[in-house]
Amino acid sequence: MQRTDVSAKQMEATVAMFLIGSSLVKSGSSPAKQDTWICIIIAVILSIPLMWVHTRILNLYPGRNYYQNILRAMGRPAGTVVCLIFTIYTFHLGALVMRVFTEFIHIAGMTTTPTIVISSVIVAVLVYVLSNRLYVLTRISKFMLPFLFITVVITIVLSYQNMDLSNLMPILNSKPSDLFQGVLSALAVPYGEILVCAPMFGALSREEKIFPTMLKGVILGFVILISANLRNFLTLGYSVSVFQFPSFESVSLVQLGDFFTRVEVLIGINLLLAGFFKCCVLLFSACDALSETLGLQDYEPLVSPCALLFLTLSGLLVGNTLEMFRWMEYMSVYTLPFQVFLPVLVLIVGVVRKKFSKPQKHGKSPDVKNEESPPPRPQEN
């Protein structure tokens, strides 16, 4: 394996950390209320076809470059438009996630610190990590994921005395419309966002298969998310929908005597780590999409400008915390075209074009003169 190759374990950990991200902070109720955990399970099952679609796009042409394959599948004009749409979506999502974590830090522990200072520090770290290339981020993910998993398990054990199983009763008592909204919400955030992770798989070792790696990463994230959701609901009950950051509030109830308190500090560190990794992956995907849209050969020169755009948009998108969470309620409708319709359209067009442009006698494609293969990416330092 080359130095710049990413192993399957590292990629699985990065996907899991990305999915945990802001969902661990906002891991509360949905319109389905006590049946939210059922909605999460259904959403994971529904995300499997989406993972298959992204895998097929990555494997349409050699090289496993997601956005380059979109350009080749759709043709240069249409493919450029699709890449631009994905760029705008990723920028918006990245700015919103950054705002969520800025508000979390501001409300939970640094109430007197201006949010612009907090977000500026986050952006500086993002630029530093991504300037050292993607394989650095994946190595950190593999190291930090077990720590996050262990701390979630510890908080579940310590919260046992505050749990009430009756908070989950009655099961499947929600209206079908509420269940549908709950499933749609869980699918949109975070499992449909696997779209943003797809470009990372261009760095995956060629010996590894994409779909099993992506699926294992999603399952790892799912285990942690549903555990946190059940912990929050068993502890807080229906009041979980009242709190802006239910995970933080749930763990704050843990107290063993007079000497073991303030356990929420530990979960706060977890939330910051997960949010950092999600912002990193979003910034990488935005830079990669923009570099293909502009016809550049490398994403690295765009890291700093895109990070500054993230910083600017995170301050302009919403005016306050209430507006931020109100906007997140509409994410399931807003993100559906980006997460489902566009990838499926790209795959259909790519498969059809590839089928009707089979190599001729001399092994050349009929449109080889009109559509040149994109130049190879430079090796990472």
Side-chain angles (χ1 to χ4, degrees):
M1 184 185 300
Q2 295 181 359
R3 181 172 175 265
T4 55
D5 285 339
V6 175
S7 68
K9 296 295 183 182
Q10 293 170 342
M11 190 63 73
E12 292 165 11
T14 307
V15 171
M17 293 292 284
F18 171 83
L19 294 178
I20 293 168
S22 56
S23 299
L24 190 59
V25 174
K26 194 64 181 70
S27 185
S29 65
S30 69
K33 297 180 181 179
Q34 76 275 9
D35 294 325
T36 299
W37 64 277
I38 299 176
C39 296
I40 295 175
I41 295 175
I42 297 174
V44 172
I45 296 173
L46 292 178
S47 68
I48 294 177
L50 293 180
M51 288 185 274
W52 178 83
V53 169
H54 297 311
T55 300
R56 286 295 307 273
I57 293 175
L58 285 162
N59 289 328
L60 272 177
Y61 305 99
R64 291 181 174 180
N65 188 294
Y66 192 75
Y67 293 116
Q68 281 187 5
N69 285 1
I70 289 177
L71 289 172
R72 295 186 65 182
M74 302 289 291
R76 175 60 63 173
T80 302
V81 173
V82 173
C83 287
L84 181 60
I85 292 174
F86 282 142
T87 303
I88 296 172
Y89 165 71
T90 309
F91 266 108
H92 182 268
L93 181 61
L96 186 61
V97 170
M98 185 174 293
R99 182 60 182 267
V100 169
F101 280 93
T102 301
E103 291 290 339
F104 169 71
I105 298 171
H106 178 71
I107 294 173
M110 304 178 70
T111 55
T112 59
T113 303
T115 55
I116 185 63
V117 175
I118 300 172
S119 55
S120 297
V121 173
I122 296 175
V123 164
V125 180
L126 291 178
V127 171
Y128 175 78
V129 172
L130 284 184
S131 296
N132 287 283
R133 298 295 178 170
L134 185 63
Y135 71 92
V136 175
L137 176 66
T138 57
R139 289 180 179 181
I140 300 174
S141 301
K142 184 181 178 182
F143 175 76
M144 296 306 303
L145 184 62
F147 171 77
L148 190 147
F149 180 77
I150 291 172
T151 52
V152 169
V153 171
I154 291 175
T155 58
I156 291 174
V157 173
L158 295 177
S159 299
Y160 178 76
Q161 60 182 353
N162 299 320
M163 292 181 180
D164 186 359
L165 289 176
S166 64
N167 289 334
L168 295 180
M169 303 296 177
I171 297 177
L172 290 177
N173 192 48
S174 303
K175 297 179 181 178
S177 59
D178 291 338
L179 281 173
F180 177 77
Q181 292 180 25
V183 171
L184 202 61
S185 177
L187 180 62
V189 182
Y191 300 106
E193 294 173 350
I194 194 68
L195 159 72
V196 182
C197 295
M200 293 193 305
F201 283 82
L204 184 67
S205 173
R206 295 300 182 266
E207 300 173 356
E208 306 290 351
K209 294 183 178 180
I210 297 175
F211 184 78
T213 304
M214 190 179 295
L215 181 61
K216 290 178 183 177
V218 170
I219 292 175
L220 285 173
F222 160 75
V223 170
I224 296 177
L225 283 179
I226 197 170
S227 300
N229 182 273
L230 289 172
R231 177 200 62 200
N232 296 345
F233 217 97
L234 289 171
T235 303
L236 301 175
Y238 286 94
S239 63
V240 71
S241 59
V242 177
F243 298 106
Q244 295 173 333
F245 304 108
S247 293
F248 192 77
E249 297 293 339
S250 173
V251 178
S252 67
L253 299 177
V254 174
Q255 184 174 354
L256 297 178
D258 297 328
F259 65 97
F260 194 77
T261 58
R262 304 292 295 176
V263 183
E264 65 269 21
V265 174
L266 186 62
I267 201 67
I269 296 174
N270 279 357
L271 300 179
L272 292 178
L273 286 173
F276 168 76
F277 283 104
K278 185 159 189 173
C279 289
C280 272
V281 174
L282 285 164
L283 181 58
F284 167 78
S285 184
C287 294
D288 198 36
L290 186 59
S291 66
E292 294 298 337
T293 303
L294 299 177
L296 303 178
Q297 294 187 8
D298 191 16
Y299 74 88
E300 197 275 336
L302 298 175
V303 172
S304 296
C306 289
L308 291 177
L309 283 175
F310 268 40
L311 176 63
T312 305
L313 285 175
S314 66
L316 297 176
L317 278 178
V318 292
N320 52 54
T321 308
L322 293 178
E323 287 185 13
M324 177 184 69
F325 285 110
R326 190 177 298 116
W327 170 255
M328 292 180 67
E329 294 176 0
Y330 299 98
M331 288 294 288
S332 57
V333 178
Y334 160 72
T335 59
L336 195 62
F338 304 100
Q339 297 176 353
V340 180
F341 298 147
L342 270 181
V344 171
L345 176 64
V346 169
L347 179 60
I348 293 174
V349 174
V351 170
V352 171
R353 290 192 65 191
K354 195 172 182 180
K355 180 179 180 180
F356 288 98
S357 60
K358 293 181 179 179
Q360 295 179 337
K361 296 180 179 179
H362 300 289
K364 293 184 178 180
S365 177
D367 58 348
V368 81
K369 294 182 180 180
N370 299 325
E371 184 178 341
E372 297 180 357
S373 298
R377 291 294 185 93
Q379 287 291 328
E380 298 180 355
N381 297 323

Coordinates of all heavy atoms in Angstrom, one line a residue, residues 151-161 163 231 254:
T151 N -16.8 6.1 25.4 CA -17.4 7.2 26.3 C -19.0 7.1 26.2 O -19.6 7.4 27.2 CB -16.9 8.5 25.9 OG1 -17.1 8.7 24.5 CG2 -15.5 8.7 26.3
V152 N -19.5 6.8 25.0 CA -20.9 6.7 24.9 C -21.4 5.5 25.7 O -22.5 5.6 26.4 CB -21.3 6.5 23.4 CG1 -22.8 6.1 23.3 CG2 -21.1 7.8 22.6
V153 N -20.7 4.4 25.7 CA -21.1 3.2 26.5 C -21.0 3.6 28.0 O -21.9 3.2 28.8 CB -20.2 2.0 26.2 CG1 -20.4 0.9 27.2 CG2 -20.4 1.5 24.8
I154 N -20.0 4.3 28.4 CA -19.9 4.7 29.8 C -21.1 5.6 30.2 O -21.6 5.4 31.3 CB -18.5 5.4 30.1 CG1 -17.4 4.4 29.9 CG2 -18.5 6.1 31.4 CD1 -16.0 5.1 30.0
T155 N -21.4 6.5 29.4 CA -22.6 7.4 29.8 C -23.9 6.6 29.8 O -24.7 7.0 30.6 CB -22.7 8.5 28.7 OG1 -22.8 8.0 27.4 CG2 -21.4 9.4 28.8
I156 N -24.0 5.6 29.0 CA -25.2 4.8 29.0 C -25.3 4.0 30.4 O -26.3 3.9 31.0 CB -25.3 3.8 27.8 CG1 -25.5 4.6 26.5 CG2 -26.4 2.8 28.0 CD1 -25.4 3.7 25.3
V157 N -24.2 3.4 30.8 CA -24.1 2.7 32.0 C -24.4 3.6 33.2 O -25.2 3.3 34.1 CB -22.7 2.0 32.2 CG1 -22.6 1.4 33.6 CG2 -22.6 0.9 31.1
L158 N -23.8 4.8 33.2 CA -24.0 5.7 34.3 C -25.4 6.3 34.3 O -25.8 6.8 35.4 CB -22.9 6.9 34.2 CG -21.5 6.4 34.4 CD1 -20.5 7.6 34.2 CD2 -21.2 5.8 35.8
S159 N -26.0 6.4 33.2 CA -27.4 6.9 33.1 C -28.5 5.9 33.4 O -29.7 6.3 33.5 CB -27.6 7.5 31.7 OG -26.7 8.5 31.4
Y160 N -28.1 4.7 33.7 CA -29.1 3.6 33.9 C -30.0 4.0 35.1 O -31.2 3.7 34.9 CB -28.3 2.3 34.2 CG -29.3 1.2 34.5 CD1 -30.0 0.5 33.4 CD2 -29.5 0.7 35.8 CE1 -30.8 -0.5 33.7 CE2 -30.4 -0.3 36.0 CZ -31.1 -0.9 35.0 OH -31.9 -2.0 35.2
Q161 N -29.6 4.6 36.1 CA -30.4 4.8 37.3 C -31.5 5.9 36.9 O -32.5 6.1 37.6 CB -29.6 5.3 38.5 CG -28.8 6.5 38.2 CD -27.9 6.9 39.4 OE1 -28.0 6.3 40.5 NE2 -27.0 7.9 39.2
M163 N -32.9 6.1 33.9 CA -33.7 5.7 32.7 C -35.1 5.1 33.2 O -35.2 4.5 34.3 CB -33.0 4.6 32.0 CG -31.7 5.1 31.3 SD -30.9 3.8 30.3 CE -29.5 4.7 29.6
R231 N -30.6 6.3 24.8 CA -30.2 6.8 26.1 C -30.9 8.2 26.4 O -31.5 8.4 27.5 CB -28.7 7.1 26.1 CG -28.1 7.7 27.4 CD -26.8 8.3 27.1 NE -26.9 9.4 26.2 CZ -25.9 9.9 25.4 NH1 -24.7 9.3 25.6 NH2 -26.0 10.8 24.6
V254 N -26.3 12.7 35.2 CA -25.5 11.7 35.8 C -24.8 12.3 37.0 O -24.1 13.3 36.9 CB -24.4 11.1 34.8 CG1 -23.5 10.1 35.6 CG2 -25.1 10.4 33.7

